[in-house]
Short mmCIF file of all heavy atoms in Angstrom, two decimals:
data_model
loop_
_atom_site.label_atom_id
_atom_site.label_comp_id
_atom_site.label_asym_id
_atom_site.label_seq_id
_atom_site.Cartn_x
_atom_site.Cartn_y
_atom_site.Cartn_z
N MET A 1 -2.58 -31.33 -28.01
CA MET A 1 -2.89 -32.62 -27.43
C MET A 1 -3.33 -32.43 -26.00
O MET A 1 -2.69 -31.69 -25.24
CB MET A 1 -1.65 -33.50 -27.49
CG MET A 1 -1.74 -34.81 -26.77
SD MET A 1 -0.63 -36.01 -27.45
CE MET A 1 -1.78 -37.25 -27.85
N PRO A 2 -4.42 -33.05 -25.57
CA PRO A 2 -4.89 -32.97 -24.18
C PRO A 2 -3.89 -33.48 -23.20
O PRO A 2 -3.15 -34.42 -23.49
CB PRO A 2 -6.18 -33.81 -24.16
CG PRO A 2 -6.56 -33.98 -25.56
CD PRO A 2 -5.32 -33.87 -26.38
N LYS A 3 -3.89 -32.91 -22.03
CA LYS A 3 -3.00 -33.34 -20.96
C LYS A 3 -3.83 -33.95 -19.83
O LYS A 3 -4.81 -33.34 -19.39
CB LYS A 3 -2.22 -32.13 -20.44
CG LYS A 3 -1.22 -32.47 -19.36
CD LYS A 3 -0.47 -31.24 -18.93
CE LYS A 3 0.47 -31.57 -17.79
NZ LYS A 3 1.12 -30.39 -17.29
N ALA A 4 -3.49 -35.13 -19.39
CA ALA A 4 -4.19 -35.78 -18.28
C ALA A 4 -3.64 -35.30 -16.94
O ALA A 4 -2.47 -35.12 -16.76
CB ALA A 4 -4.03 -37.29 -18.40
N VAL A 5 -4.58 -35.08 -16.01
CA VAL A 5 -4.18 -34.68 -14.68
C VAL A 5 -4.81 -35.67 -13.71
O VAL A 5 -6.01 -35.95 -13.77
CB VAL A 5 -4.74 -33.26 -14.35
CG1 VAL A 5 -4.43 -32.87 -12.93
CG2 VAL A 5 -4.18 -32.24 -15.31
N LYS A 6 -3.99 -36.22 -12.81
CA LYS A 6 -4.46 -37.19 -11.80
C LYS A 6 -5.24 -36.39 -10.75
O LYS A 6 -4.74 -35.44 -10.17
CB LYS A 6 -3.29 -37.91 -11.21
CG LYS A 6 -3.65 -39.22 -10.57
CD LYS A 6 -2.36 -39.96 -10.23
CE LYS A 6 -2.67 -41.41 -9.92
NZ LYS A 6 -1.44 -42.10 -9.57
N GLY A 7 -6.48 -36.82 -10.48
CA GLY A 7 -7.32 -36.12 -9.53
C GLY A 7 -7.96 -37.01 -8.50
O GLY A 7 -7.97 -38.25 -8.62
N VAL A 8 -8.48 -36.37 -7.46
CA VAL A 8 -9.14 -37.05 -6.36
C VAL A 8 -10.52 -36.45 -6.25
O VAL A 8 -10.66 -35.21 -6.17
CB VAL A 8 -8.36 -36.86 -5.05
CG1 VAL A 8 -9.08 -37.47 -3.88
CG2 VAL A 8 -6.97 -37.38 -5.15
N LEU A 9 -11.54 -37.28 -6.17
CA LEU A 9 -12.89 -36.81 -5.95
C LEU A 9 -13.11 -36.57 -4.47
O LEU A 9 -12.87 -37.45 -3.65
CB LEU A 9 -13.92 -37.86 -6.46
CG LEU A 9 -15.40 -37.53 -6.21
CD1 LEU A 9 -15.80 -36.33 -7.06
CD2 LEU A 9 -16.23 -38.73 -6.54
N ILE A 10 -13.55 -35.35 -4.14
CA ILE A 10 -13.85 -35.07 -2.74
C ILE A 10 -15.30 -34.66 -2.63
O ILE A 10 -15.89 -34.05 -3.53
CB ILE A 10 -12.91 -34.01 -2.12
CG1 ILE A 10 -13.06 -32.66 -2.85
CG2 ILE A 10 -11.48 -34.48 -2.13
CD1 ILE A 10 -12.40 -31.55 -2.09
N GLU A 11 -15.88 -35.01 -1.49
CA GLU A 11 -17.23 -34.61 -1.15
C GLU A 11 -17.18 -33.78 0.11
O GLU A 11 -16.49 -34.14 1.09
CB GLU A 11 -18.10 -35.85 -0.89
CG GLU A 11 -19.52 -35.52 -0.55
CD GLU A 11 -20.38 -36.77 -0.32
OE1 GLU A 11 -19.82 -37.87 -0.18
OE2 GLU A 11 -21.59 -36.61 -0.30
N CYS A 12 -17.86 -32.62 0.10
CA CYS A 12 -17.80 -31.72 1.24
C CYS A 12 -19.09 -30.90 1.31
O CYS A 12 -19.86 -30.86 0.35
CB CYS A 12 -16.58 -30.82 1.14
SG CYS A 12 -16.49 -29.84 -0.36
N ASP A 13 -19.29 -30.29 2.41
CA ASP A 13 -20.42 -29.37 2.60
C ASP A 13 -20.25 -28.17 1.68
O ASP A 13 -19.11 -27.78 1.40
CB ASP A 13 -20.52 -28.90 4.03
CG ASP A 13 -20.88 -29.96 5.02
OD1 ASP A 13 -21.58 -30.91 4.60
OD2 ASP A 13 -20.49 -29.86 6.18
N PRO A 14 -21.38 -27.57 1.26
CA PRO A 14 -21.26 -26.39 0.41
C PRO A 14 -20.43 -25.25 1.02
O PRO A 14 -19.72 -24.54 0.32
CB PRO A 14 -22.71 -25.98 0.20
CG PRO A 14 -23.48 -27.24 0.30
CD PRO A 14 -22.76 -28.04 1.35
N SER A 15 -20.46 -25.12 2.36
CA SER A 15 -19.65 -24.10 2.99
C SER A 15 -18.16 -24.33 2.87
O SER A 15 -17.37 -23.41 2.62
CB SER A 15 -20.06 -23.97 4.47
OG SER A 15 -19.83 -25.20 5.13
N ILE A 16 -17.73 -25.60 2.99
CA ILE A 16 -16.31 -25.94 2.83
C ILE A 16 -15.93 -25.80 1.36
O ILE A 16 -14.85 -25.29 1.05
CB ILE A 16 -16.05 -27.40 3.30
CG1 ILE A 16 -16.39 -27.53 4.79
CG2 ILE A 16 -14.62 -27.80 3.01
CD1 ILE A 16 -15.56 -26.64 5.72
N LYS A 17 -16.82 -26.18 0.48
CA LYS A 17 -16.54 -26.04 -0.94
C LYS A 17 -16.34 -24.56 -1.29
O LYS A 17 -15.44 -24.22 -2.08
CB LYS A 17 -17.71 -26.61 -1.78
CG LYS A 17 -17.43 -26.49 -3.26
CD LYS A 17 -18.56 -27.03 -4.08
CE LYS A 17 -18.27 -26.67 -5.52
NZ LYS A 17 -19.42 -26.84 -6.38
N ALA A 18 -17.10 -23.66 -0.72
CA ALA A 18 -16.95 -22.24 -0.96
C ALA A 18 -15.56 -21.77 -0.52
O ALA A 18 -14.92 -20.97 -1.18
CB ALA A 18 -18.04 -21.45 -0.24
N ILE A 19 -15.08 -22.29 0.60
CA ILE A 19 -13.73 -21.92 1.10
C ILE A 19 -12.68 -22.45 0.12
O ILE A 19 -11.73 -21.72 -0.23
CB ILE A 19 -13.49 -22.50 2.49
CG1 ILE A 19 -14.43 -21.83 3.51
CG2 ILE A 19 -12.05 -22.31 2.92
CD1 ILE A 19 -14.45 -22.47 4.88
N ILE A 20 -12.85 -23.68 -0.37
CA ILE A 20 -11.89 -24.25 -1.34
C ILE A 20 -11.88 -23.43 -2.63
O ILE A 20 -10.83 -23.11 -3.18
CB ILE A 20 -12.22 -25.71 -1.63
CG1 ILE A 20 -12.00 -26.57 -0.38
CG2 ILE A 20 -11.37 -26.23 -2.77
CD1 ILE A 20 -12.51 -28.00 -0.49
N LEU A 21 -13.05 -23.02 -3.10
CA LEU A 21 -13.16 -22.21 -4.31
C LEU A 21 -12.43 -20.86 -4.10
O LEU A 21 -11.74 -20.38 -5.00
CB LEU A 21 -14.60 -21.95 -4.70
CG LEU A 21 -15.36 -23.17 -5.22
CD1 LEU A 21 -16.84 -22.84 -5.40
CD2 LEU A 21 -14.79 -23.65 -6.55
N LYS A 22 -12.59 -20.29 -2.91
CA LYS A 22 -11.93 -19.03 -2.62
C LYS A 22 -10.39 -19.19 -2.58
O LYS A 22 -9.65 -18.36 -3.11
CB LYS A 22 -12.43 -18.52 -1.24
CG LYS A 22 -11.75 -17.29 -0.74
CD LYS A 22 -12.20 -16.07 -1.50
CE LYS A 22 -11.64 -14.84 -0.81
NZ LYS A 22 -11.28 -13.81 -1.76
N ILE A 23 -9.92 -20.26 -1.98
CA ILE A 23 -8.47 -20.55 -1.92
C ILE A 23 -7.94 -20.73 -3.34
O ILE A 23 -6.84 -20.25 -3.67
CB ILE A 23 -8.18 -21.81 -1.06
CG1 ILE A 23 -8.48 -21.51 0.40
CG2 ILE A 23 -6.74 -22.27 -1.25
CD1 ILE A 23 -8.46 -22.76 1.29
N ASP A 24 -8.72 -21.41 -4.20
CA ASP A 24 -8.23 -21.74 -5.56
C ASP A 24 -8.36 -20.59 -6.55
O ASP A 24 -7.68 -20.60 -7.58
CB ASP A 24 -9.04 -22.94 -6.09
CG ASP A 24 -8.52 -23.46 -7.39
OD1 ASP A 24 -7.40 -23.98 -7.41
OD2 ASP A 24 -9.25 -23.35 -8.40
N GLN A 25 -9.15 -19.58 -6.27
CA GLN A 25 -9.49 -18.58 -7.26
C GLN A 25 -8.31 -17.78 -7.80
O GLN A 25 -8.32 -17.36 -8.94
CB GLN A 25 -10.59 -17.67 -6.79
CG GLN A 25 -10.16 -16.56 -5.88
CD GLN A 25 -11.33 -15.71 -5.45
OE1 GLN A 25 -12.47 -16.06 -5.60
NE2 GLN A 25 -11.02 -14.55 -4.88
N ASP A 26 -7.29 -17.55 -7.01
CA ASP A 26 -6.17 -16.73 -7.44
C ASP A 26 -5.20 -17.42 -8.41
O ASP A 26 -4.80 -16.83 -9.38
CB ASP A 26 -5.40 -16.21 -6.22
CG ASP A 26 -6.19 -15.21 -5.41
OD1 ASP A 26 -7.08 -14.57 -5.99
OD2 ASP A 26 -5.93 -15.11 -4.19
N HIS A 27 -4.87 -18.67 -8.12
CA HIS A 27 -3.85 -19.36 -8.92
C HIS A 27 -4.35 -20.63 -9.61
O HIS A 27 -3.60 -21.20 -10.43
CB HIS A 27 -2.65 -19.72 -8.03
CG HIS A 27 -2.07 -18.52 -7.33
ND1 HIS A 27 -1.34 -17.56 -8.04
CD2 HIS A 27 -2.08 -18.12 -6.05
CE1 HIS A 27 -0.95 -16.65 -7.19
NE2 HIS A 27 -1.40 -16.95 -5.99
N HIS A 28 -5.52 -21.07 -9.28
CA HIS A 28 -6.09 -22.29 -9.89
C HIS A 28 -5.13 -23.49 -9.75
O HIS A 28 -4.89 -24.20 -10.68
CB HIS A 28 -6.47 -22.07 -11.35
CG HIS A 28 -7.36 -20.91 -11.54
ND1 HIS A 28 -8.68 -20.93 -11.15
CD2 HIS A 28 -7.12 -19.66 -12.04
CE1 HIS A 28 -9.21 -19.75 -11.42
NE2 HIS A 28 -8.32 -18.98 -11.96
N ASP A 29 -4.62 -23.66 -8.52
CA ASP A 29 -3.65 -24.72 -8.25
C ASP A 29 -4.30 -26.04 -7.82
O ASP A 29 -3.63 -27.06 -7.84
CB ASP A 29 -2.71 -24.29 -7.11
CG ASP A 29 -1.72 -23.22 -7.54
OD1 ASP A 29 -1.48 -23.09 -8.75
OD2 ASP A 29 -1.21 -22.52 -6.66
N TYR A 30 -5.55 -26.01 -7.40
CA TYR A 30 -6.12 -27.19 -6.73
C TYR A 30 -7.23 -27.87 -7.52
O TYR A 30 -7.23 -29.07 -7.67
CB TYR A 30 -6.71 -26.78 -5.39
CG TYR A 30 -5.67 -26.19 -4.46
CD1 TYR A 30 -5.66 -24.82 -4.21
CD2 TYR A 30 -4.74 -26.96 -3.84
CE1 TYR A 30 -4.71 -24.26 -3.39
CE2 TYR A 30 -3.80 -26.43 -2.97
CZ TYR A 30 -3.78 -25.05 -2.75
OH TYR A 30 -2.84 -24.51 -1.94
N ILE A 31 -8.19 -27.14 -8.02
CA ILE A 31 -9.41 -27.72 -8.60
C ILE A 31 -9.21 -28.12 -10.07
O ILE A 31 -8.78 -27.28 -10.88
CB ILE A 31 -10.59 -26.76 -8.47
CG1 ILE A 31 -10.88 -26.48 -7.00
CG2 ILE A 31 -11.83 -27.31 -9.17
CD1 ILE A 31 -11.91 -25.41 -6.75
N VAL A 32 -9.54 -29.35 -10.36
CA VAL A 32 -9.55 -29.82 -11.74
C VAL A 32 -10.96 -29.62 -12.33
O VAL A 32 -11.09 -29.12 -13.44
CB VAL A 32 -9.17 -31.35 -11.83
CG1 VAL A 32 -9.30 -31.85 -13.25
CG2 VAL A 32 -7.77 -31.57 -11.28
N GLU A 33 -11.96 -29.97 -11.54
CA GLU A 33 -13.35 -29.86 -12.05
C GLU A 33 -14.29 -29.59 -10.87
O GLU A 33 -14.19 -30.25 -9.82
CB GLU A 33 -13.75 -31.14 -12.77
CG GLU A 33 -15.05 -31.06 -13.52
CD GLU A 33 -14.98 -30.17 -14.76
OE1 GLU A 33 -13.92 -30.14 -15.41
OE2 GLU A 33 -15.98 -29.47 -15.05
N ASP A 34 -15.18 -28.66 -11.03
CA ASP A 34 -16.24 -28.36 -10.08
C ASP A 34 -17.47 -29.11 -10.58
O ASP A 34 -18.07 -28.74 -11.61
CB ASP A 34 -16.49 -26.85 -10.06
CG ASP A 34 -17.50 -26.41 -9.05
OD1 ASP A 34 -18.19 -27.27 -8.47
OD2 ASP A 34 -17.68 -25.20 -8.86
N LEU A 35 -17.90 -30.16 -9.86
CA LEU A 35 -18.93 -31.04 -10.34
C LEU A 35 -20.34 -30.59 -9.97
O LEU A 35 -21.22 -30.54 -10.82
CB LEU A 35 -18.69 -32.47 -9.89
CG LEU A 35 -17.35 -33.07 -10.33
CD1 LEU A 35 -17.14 -34.42 -9.70
CD2 LEU A 35 -17.30 -33.17 -11.84
N ASP A 36 -20.57 -30.36 -8.70
CA ASP A 36 -21.89 -29.91 -8.21
C ASP A 36 -21.72 -29.24 -6.86
O ASP A 36 -20.59 -28.88 -6.50
CB ASP A 36 -22.91 -31.05 -8.18
CG ASP A 36 -22.51 -32.20 -7.26
OD1 ASP A 36 -21.78 -31.99 -6.28
OD2 ASP A 36 -22.93 -33.38 -7.54
N ASP A 37 -22.83 -29.08 -6.11
CA ASP A 37 -22.76 -28.36 -4.84
C ASP A 37 -21.88 -29.00 -3.78
O ASP A 37 -21.41 -28.33 -2.86
CB ASP A 37 -24.15 -28.20 -4.23
CG ASP A 37 -25.01 -27.23 -5.04
OD1 ASP A 37 -24.44 -26.45 -5.83
OD2 ASP A 37 -26.24 -27.26 -4.88
N GLN A 38 -21.64 -30.30 -3.88
CA GLN A 38 -20.87 -31.01 -2.84
C GLN A 38 -19.69 -31.80 -3.35
O GLN A 38 -19.04 -32.46 -2.55
CB GLN A 38 -21.81 -31.95 -2.07
CG GLN A 38 -22.87 -31.23 -1.28
CD GLN A 38 -23.75 -32.19 -0.47
OE1 GLN A 38 -23.77 -33.37 -0.73
NE2 GLN A 38 -24.41 -31.64 0.51
N HIS A 39 -19.37 -31.71 -4.63
CA HIS A 39 -18.28 -32.54 -5.18
C HIS A 39 -17.32 -31.72 -6.02
O HIS A 39 -17.74 -30.91 -6.86
CB HIS A 39 -18.87 -33.67 -6.04
CG HIS A 39 -19.70 -34.62 -5.25
ND1 HIS A 39 -21.06 -34.49 -5.11
CD2 HIS A 39 -19.35 -35.73 -4.57
CE1 HIS A 39 -21.52 -35.47 -4.38
NE2 HIS A 39 -20.51 -36.25 -4.02
N LEU A 40 -16.07 -31.98 -5.82
CA LEU A 40 -14.97 -31.40 -6.60
C LEU A 40 -13.94 -32.46 -6.95
O LEU A 40 -13.77 -33.40 -6.18
CB LEU A 40 -14.23 -30.33 -5.74
CG LEU A 40 -14.93 -29.05 -5.36
CD1 LEU A 40 -14.17 -28.36 -4.26
CD2 LEU A 40 -15.08 -28.14 -6.57
N VAL A 41 -13.27 -32.28 -8.05
CA VAL A 41 -12.10 -33.08 -8.35
C VAL A 41 -10.88 -32.19 -8.12
O VAL A 41 -10.77 -31.12 -8.69
CB VAL A 41 -12.12 -33.62 -9.79
CG1 VAL A 41 -10.84 -34.40 -10.10
CG2 VAL A 41 -13.37 -34.48 -10.05
N ILE A 42 -10.02 -32.64 -7.25
CA ILE A 42 -8.83 -31.90 -6.85
C ILE A 42 -7.57 -32.59 -7.39
O ILE A 42 -7.53 -33.82 -7.43
CB ILE A 42 -8.74 -31.86 -5.29
CG1 ILE A 42 -9.99 -31.25 -4.69
CG2 ILE A 42 -7.50 -31.11 -4.81
CD1 ILE A 42 -10.22 -29.78 -5.03
N LYS A 43 -6.59 -31.81 -7.79
CA LYS A 43 -5.31 -32.40 -8.21
C LYS A 43 -4.74 -33.22 -7.06
O LYS A 43 -4.55 -32.72 -5.95
CB LYS A 43 -4.34 -31.31 -8.62
CG LYS A 43 -4.71 -30.54 -9.83
CD LYS A 43 -3.72 -29.43 -10.13
CE LYS A 43 -4.22 -28.60 -11.28
NZ LYS A 43 -3.36 -27.38 -11.45
N GLU A 44 -4.45 -34.47 -7.34
CA GLU A 44 -3.98 -35.38 -6.31
C GLU A 44 -2.65 -34.85 -5.65
O GLU A 44 -2.48 -34.92 -4.45
CB GLU A 44 -3.72 -36.78 -6.87
CG GLU A 44 -3.28 -37.78 -5.86
CD GLU A 44 -3.04 -39.15 -6.41
OE1 GLU A 44 -2.40 -39.26 -7.45
OE2 GLU A 44 -3.53 -40.13 -5.83
N SER A 45 -1.79 -34.29 -6.48
CA SER A 45 -0.50 -33.82 -5.94
C SER A 45 -0.70 -32.60 -5.02
O SER A 45 0.19 -32.32 -4.21
CB SER A 45 0.41 -33.44 -7.10
OG SER A 45 -0.14 -32.38 -7.85
N GLN A 46 -1.81 -31.89 -5.11
CA GLN A 46 -2.04 -30.70 -4.30
C GLN A 46 -2.90 -30.95 -3.07
O GLN A 46 -3.10 -30.04 -2.27
CB GLN A 46 -2.69 -29.62 -5.18
CG GLN A 46 -1.86 -29.15 -6.33
CD GLN A 46 -0.61 -28.41 -5.88
OE1 GLN A 46 -0.50 -27.97 -4.70
NE2 GLN A 46 0.34 -28.28 -6.73
N LEU A 47 -3.43 -32.16 -2.92
CA LEU A 47 -4.32 -32.47 -1.81
C LEU A 47 -3.69 -32.15 -0.42
O LEU A 47 -4.36 -31.52 0.40
CB LEU A 47 -4.84 -33.90 -1.91
CG LEU A 47 -5.94 -34.26 -0.92
CD1 LEU A 47 -7.17 -33.35 -1.12
CD2 LEU A 47 -6.31 -35.71 -1.08
N PRO A 48 -2.47 -32.59 -0.12
CA PRO A 48 -1.93 -32.27 1.18
C PRO A 48 -1.79 -30.76 1.42
O PRO A 48 -2.06 -30.27 2.53
CB PRO A 48 -0.52 -32.93 1.15
CG PRO A 48 -0.63 -33.99 0.12
CD PRO A 48 -1.61 -33.49 -0.92
N ARG A 49 -1.42 -30.02 0.39
CA ARG A 49 -1.30 -28.57 0.52
C ARG A 49 -2.67 -27.91 0.77
O ARG A 49 -2.79 -26.97 1.54
CB ARG A 49 -0.63 -28.00 -0.73
CG ARG A 49 -0.08 -26.63 -0.53
CD ARG A 49 0.84 -26.24 -1.66
NE ARG A 49 0.31 -24.98 -2.16
CZ ARG A 49 0.37 -24.58 -3.40
NH1 ARG A 49 0.90 -25.35 -4.31
NH2 ARG A 49 -0.11 -23.44 -3.80
N LEU A 50 -3.69 -28.44 0.07
CA LEU A 50 -5.04 -27.90 0.26
C LEU A 50 -5.52 -28.16 1.67
O LEU A 50 -6.13 -27.29 2.32
CB LEU A 50 -6.00 -28.52 -0.78
CG LEU A 50 -7.45 -28.07 -0.63
CD1 LEU A 50 -7.58 -26.54 -0.82
CD2 LEU A 50 -8.34 -28.79 -1.64
N LYS A 51 -5.22 -29.34 2.22
CA LYS A 51 -5.59 -29.66 3.61
C LYS A 51 -4.96 -28.68 4.55
O LYS A 51 -5.58 -28.22 5.55
CB LYS A 51 -5.19 -31.09 3.95
CG LYS A 51 -6.10 -32.12 3.34
CD LYS A 51 -5.65 -33.53 3.73
CE LYS A 51 -6.53 -34.59 3.15
NZ LYS A 51 -6.12 -35.96 3.53
N GLU A 52 -3.70 -28.35 4.33
CA GLU A 52 -3.05 -27.36 5.18
C GLU A 52 -3.71 -26.01 5.11
O GLU A 52 -3.91 -25.32 6.12
CB GLU A 52 -1.56 -27.20 4.75
CG GLU A 52 -0.63 -28.26 5.25
CD GLU A 52 0.80 -27.96 4.83
OE1 GLU A 52 1.22 -26.78 4.74
OE2 GLU A 52 1.51 -28.96 4.57
N GLU A 53 -4.02 -25.58 3.87
CA GLU A 53 -4.72 -24.31 3.71
C GLU A 53 -6.07 -24.26 4.43
O GLU A 53 -6.40 -23.28 5.09
CB GLU A 53 -4.97 -24.01 2.21
CG GLU A 53 -3.70 -23.75 1.41
CD GLU A 53 -3.21 -22.33 1.60
OE1 GLU A 53 -3.98 -21.46 2.02
OE2 GLU A 53 -2.00 -22.09 1.32
N LEU A 54 -6.80 -25.37 4.35
CA LEU A 54 -8.11 -25.46 5.04
C LEU A 54 -7.92 -25.41 6.58
O LEU A 54 -8.71 -24.78 7.25
CB LEU A 54 -8.86 -26.72 4.65
CG LEU A 54 -9.47 -26.68 3.25
CD1 LEU A 54 -10.02 -28.05 2.87
CD2 LEU A 54 -10.57 -25.65 3.17
N GLU A 55 -6.90 -26.05 7.07
CA GLU A 55 -6.64 -26.02 8.50
C GLU A 55 -6.29 -24.60 8.92
O GLU A 55 -6.72 -24.15 10.00
CB GLU A 55 -5.51 -26.99 8.88
CG GLU A 55 -5.93 -28.44 8.86
CD GLU A 55 -4.78 -29.39 9.14
OE1 GLU A 55 -3.68 -28.94 9.46
OE2 GLU A 55 -5.02 -30.60 9.01
N ASN A 56 -5.51 -23.90 8.15
CA ASN A 56 -5.15 -22.52 8.47
C ASN A 56 -6.37 -21.61 8.49
O ASN A 56 -6.43 -20.65 9.27
CB ASN A 56 -4.14 -21.98 7.47
CG ASN A 56 -2.78 -22.63 7.63
OD1 ASN A 56 -2.45 -23.16 8.66
ND2 ASN A 56 -2.01 -22.61 6.56
N VAL A 57 -7.34 -21.89 7.65
CA VAL A 57 -8.56 -21.09 7.62
C VAL A 57 -9.49 -21.51 8.77
O VAL A 57 -10.10 -20.65 9.41
CB VAL A 57 -9.31 -21.28 6.28
CG1 VAL A 57 -10.67 -20.63 6.30
CG2 VAL A 57 -8.47 -20.69 5.14
N ALA A 58 -9.58 -22.79 9.10
CA ALA A 58 -10.52 -23.29 10.07
C ALA A 58 -10.08 -23.07 11.51
O ALA A 58 -10.87 -22.80 12.38
CB ALA A 58 -10.74 -24.78 9.84
N ILE A 59 -8.80 -23.17 11.79
CA ILE A 59 -8.30 -23.06 13.17
C ILE A 59 -8.67 -21.73 13.82
O ILE A 59 -9.11 -21.71 14.95
CB ILE A 59 -6.78 -23.33 13.24
CG1 ILE A 59 -6.56 -24.82 13.01
CG2 ILE A 59 -6.19 -22.90 14.55
CD1 ILE A 59 -5.11 -25.24 12.91
N PRO A 60 -8.52 -20.58 13.15
CA PRO A 60 -8.91 -19.33 13.80
C PRO A 60 -10.38 -19.24 14.14
O PRO A 60 -10.76 -18.45 15.02
CB PRO A 60 -8.54 -18.24 12.79
CG PRO A 60 -7.51 -18.89 11.91
CD PRO A 60 -7.87 -20.35 11.91
N THR A 61 -11.25 -20.02 13.53
CA THR A 61 -12.67 -19.94 13.76
C THR A 61 -13.13 -20.86 14.91
O THR A 61 -14.27 -20.77 15.32
CB THR A 61 -13.48 -20.26 12.50
OG1 THR A 61 -13.20 -21.61 12.11
CG2 THR A 61 -13.12 -19.30 11.36
N LEU A 62 -12.27 -21.75 15.37
CA LEU A 62 -12.64 -22.66 16.46
C LEU A 62 -12.67 -21.91 17.77
O LEU A 62 -11.84 -21.03 18.02
CB LEU A 62 -11.66 -23.82 16.57
CG LEU A 62 -11.65 -24.81 15.44
CD1 LEU A 62 -10.52 -25.83 15.62
CD2 LEU A 62 -13.01 -25.52 15.34
N PRO A 63 -13.62 -22.26 18.66
CA PRO A 63 -13.67 -21.63 19.98
C PRO A 63 -12.40 -21.90 20.78
O PRO A 63 -11.84 -23.01 20.71
CB PRO A 63 -14.88 -22.26 20.65
CG PRO A 63 -15.62 -22.98 19.59
CD PRO A 63 -14.67 -23.21 18.47
N ARG A 64 -11.91 -20.94 21.52
CA ARG A 64 -10.67 -21.10 22.27
C ARG A 64 -10.88 -21.98 23.53
O ARG A 64 -10.00 -22.71 23.93
CB ARG A 64 -10.11 -19.75 22.69
CG ARG A 64 -9.73 -18.93 21.49
CD ARG A 64 -8.66 -17.90 21.87
NE ARG A 64 -8.42 -16.96 20.80
CZ ARG A 64 -7.66 -17.17 19.75
NH1 ARG A 64 -7.11 -18.36 19.57
NH2 ARG A 64 -7.47 -16.26 18.83
N ASN A 65 -12.03 -21.92 24.15
CA ASN A 65 -12.30 -22.67 25.38
C ASN A 65 -13.18 -23.87 25.03
O ASN A 65 -14.29 -23.99 25.51
CB ASN A 65 -13.00 -21.81 26.41
CG ASN A 65 -12.11 -20.65 26.84
OD1 ASN A 65 -10.89 -20.82 26.84
ND2 ASN A 65 -12.68 -19.54 27.17
N LEU A 66 -12.66 -24.76 24.27
CA LEU A 66 -13.39 -25.94 23.84
C LEU A 66 -13.22 -27.03 24.89
O LEU A 66 -12.10 -27.50 25.13
CB LEU A 66 -12.90 -26.39 22.50
CG LEU A 66 -13.72 -27.40 21.74
CD1 LEU A 66 -15.08 -26.82 21.39
CD2 LEU A 66 -13.03 -27.83 20.44
N ASN A 67 -14.30 -27.44 25.52
CA ASN A 67 -14.29 -28.52 26.51
C ASN A 67 -14.49 -29.85 25.81
O ASN A 67 -15.41 -29.99 25.05
CB ASN A 67 -15.35 -28.33 27.57
CG ASN A 67 -15.07 -27.08 28.40
OD1 ASN A 67 -13.92 -26.72 28.60
ND2 ASN A 67 -16.13 -26.44 28.88
N THR A 68 -13.66 -30.84 26.12
CA THR A 68 -13.80 -32.15 25.53
C THR A 68 -14.22 -33.13 26.61
O THR A 68 -13.88 -32.97 27.75
CB THR A 68 -12.46 -32.62 24.87
OG1 THR A 68 -11.43 -32.61 25.87
CG2 THR A 68 -12.09 -31.74 23.71
N CYS A 69 -14.95 -34.14 26.22
CA CYS A 69 -15.42 -35.14 27.19
C CYS A 69 -14.46 -36.29 27.21
O CYS A 69 -13.82 -36.64 26.31
CB CYS A 69 -16.78 -35.65 26.76
SG CYS A 69 -18.02 -34.34 26.84
#
């Protein structure tokens, strides 16, 4: 019998999608369906955890001397 999984449609740049695919590749904890170059369906229950993972990946790449207006 098929099992239903509650998901969230997200739209992102292809570069961010590549990072999400890389994060998901080991355990398949996040992605329900890979739709196209900019859209994924993510397990709703895993969305906060995925956001944390993305922040951990993105923060080291930000410039340290960022001037704000």
Side-chain angles (χ1 to χ4, degrees):
M1 174 155 236
K3 183 179 176 184
V5 177
K6 202 171 194 180
V8 176
L9 176 66
I10 62 167
E11 180 179 14
C12 56
D13 292 332
S15 59
I16 299 299
K17 182 182 171 194
I19 294 169
I20 294 170
L21 291 172
K22 175 74 172 145
I23 291 170
D24 187 66
Q25 80 180 15
D26 292 333
H27 303 289
H28 306 288
D29 289 339
Y30 302 105
I31 298 173
V32 175
E33 191 71 34
D34 183 352
L35 301 174
D36 60 28
D37 289 343
Q38 295 183 340
H39 297 91
L40 292 165
V41 177
I42 303 294
K43 293 177 186 172
E44 183 180 46
S45 63
Q46 296 295 342
L47 189 59
R49 197 167 126 213
L50 179 60
K51 286 180 179 181
E52 280 183 35
E53 291 281 340
L54 285 171
E55 287 176 6
N56 290 338
V57 170
I59 288 174
T61 63
L62 291 175
R64 296 205 189 280
N65 297 329
L66 192 64
N67 294 328
T68 57
C69 298

